[in-house]
């Protein structure tokens, strides 16, 4: 019991003593706080720059999504044109079947276009972000270091002041160098982002251009296919150059040689309809 009481007094004495010592030096709280405020502002500035980078990058890619929407509309338009044609009869259905398979599926187009527009902003920000983290953890250690100055130099205001100002001067130098590194990483990320945006645009242009050409070719082929049927086999629709009429009147019947009814110099003609008229 007596032992415990004496331990208690020793602790009491020590803590009283510590208080007296702390009162001897005047802490540079305001100076430190002011600098830490600036360090926080610096970190905030980094965060804003990185966020702006990501926003700008996403904005530059967003027209590719608009192109995907427009392409989807074009495909839907073509499909809504083809479905009723397909329903007319077997011939029409066969024409659509034979020539519409080249038209790409909307889901395929969308995934190719979004592959063009893959947003790599996060990966481009990895070096700036790690520079930010390094600086932040440096700053995070400062309050502890300041407290150490106070502990180590508790009996000399000059030595305490020197200790704290050295910490701040070092932190300022560290900040300047870190800012240089951060800026150079940001510049190099910007450079990479710019070339990736150009590549993304080329990629999406190629898809849009190819799809438009595939679509118009398919529609033209289907139209030609359907037209050939209309030209051959339907009297009302029979028109030049797919039509020829052979008269079998007396003059012709008694003639050993008649004009070749198959004669047609137009090489694009894919079928020929011959009408025998009296
Ligand atoms: C469709 O394609 C098949 C095979 O190539 C062909 O035999 C057929 O004539 C085509 N049909 C039409 C209507 O073009
Ligand atoms: C203050 O620092 C100087 C130089 O490091 C040292 O010589 C001196 O003893 C220190 N004073 C006190 C009171 O600790
Ligand atoms: C027989 O047909 C040819 C070609 O159509 C014509 O030039 C010729 O005059 C015809 N001959 C007779 C005897 O009608
Ligand atoms: C050949 O036929 C196509 C239609 O099948 C037509 O557009 C074209 O003008 C024709 N050419 C000639 C030289 O008659």
């Amino acid at each position: 019991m007596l032992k415990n009481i004496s331990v208690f007094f020793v602790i009491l004495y020590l803590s009283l003593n510590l208080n007296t010592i702390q009162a001897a030096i005047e802490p540079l709280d305001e100076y430190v706080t002011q600098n830490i405020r600036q360090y926080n502002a610096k970190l905030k500035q980094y965060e804003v720059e990185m966020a702006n980078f990501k926003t700008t990058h996403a904005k530059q890619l967003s027209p590719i999504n608009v192109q995907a929407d427009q392409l989807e509309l074009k495909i839907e338009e073509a499909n809504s044109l083809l479905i009723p044609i397909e329903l007319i009869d077997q011939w029409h259905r066969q024409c659509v079947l034979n020539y519409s398979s080249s038209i790409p599926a909307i889901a395929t187009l969308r995934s190719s276009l979004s592959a063009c527009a893959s947003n790599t902003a996060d990966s481009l920000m990895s070096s700036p972000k790690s520079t930010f983290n390094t600086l932040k953890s440096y700053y995070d250690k400062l309050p502890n270091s300041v407290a150490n100055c106070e502990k180590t130099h508790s009996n000399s205001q000059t030595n305490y002041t020197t200790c704290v100002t050295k910490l701040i001067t070092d932190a300022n130098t560290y900040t300047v160098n870190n800012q240089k590194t951060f800026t150079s990483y940001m510049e190099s990320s910007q450079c990479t982002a710019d070339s990736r945006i150009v590549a993304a645009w080329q990629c999406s242009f190629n898809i849009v251009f190819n799809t438009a050409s595939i679509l118009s070719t398919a529609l033209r082929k289907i139209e030609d296919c359907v037209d050939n049927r209309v030209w051959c086999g339907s009297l009302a629709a029979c028109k030049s150059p797919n039509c020829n009429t052979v008269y079998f009147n007396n003059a012709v019947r008694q003639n050993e040689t008649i004009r070749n009814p198959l004669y047609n110099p137009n090489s694009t003609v894919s079928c020929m309809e011959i009408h025998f008229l009296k």
Side-chain angles (χ1 to χ4, degrees), residues 146-215:
V146 170
N148 272 342
C149 286
E150 223 167 313
K151 236 183 276 168
T152 318
H153 304 288
S154 55
N155 47 11
S156 162
Q157 179 74 38
T158 315
N159 288 9
Y160 163 72
T161 305
T162 310
C163 179
V164 173
T165 48
K166 180 168 186 338
L167 281 180
I168 298 297
T169 314
D170 286 352
N172 289 345
T173 310
Y174 192 88
T175 304
V176 169
N177 289 333
N178 184 282
Q179 170 75 72
K180 280 183 196 155
T181 309
F182 182 80
T183 304
S184 101
Y185 278 142
M186 284 300 281
E187 278 169 1
S188 121
S189 294
Q190 188 58 57
C191 211
T192 311
D194 288 346
S195 65
R196 285 192 189 168
I197 293 289
V198 171
W201 274 94
Q202 283 168 342
C203 170
S204 92
F205 174 81
N206 284 342
I207 292 175
V208 171
F209 186 82
N210 284 343
T211 307
S213 124
I214 286 170
L215 208 54

Side-chain angles (χ1 to χ4, degrees), residues 247-258 278:
Y247 293 94
F248 56 106
N249 51 26
N250 283 342
V252 171
R253 264 186 280 117
Q254 286 157 13
N255 196 332
E256 279 193 338
T257 57
I258 56 160
K278 207 162 184 178

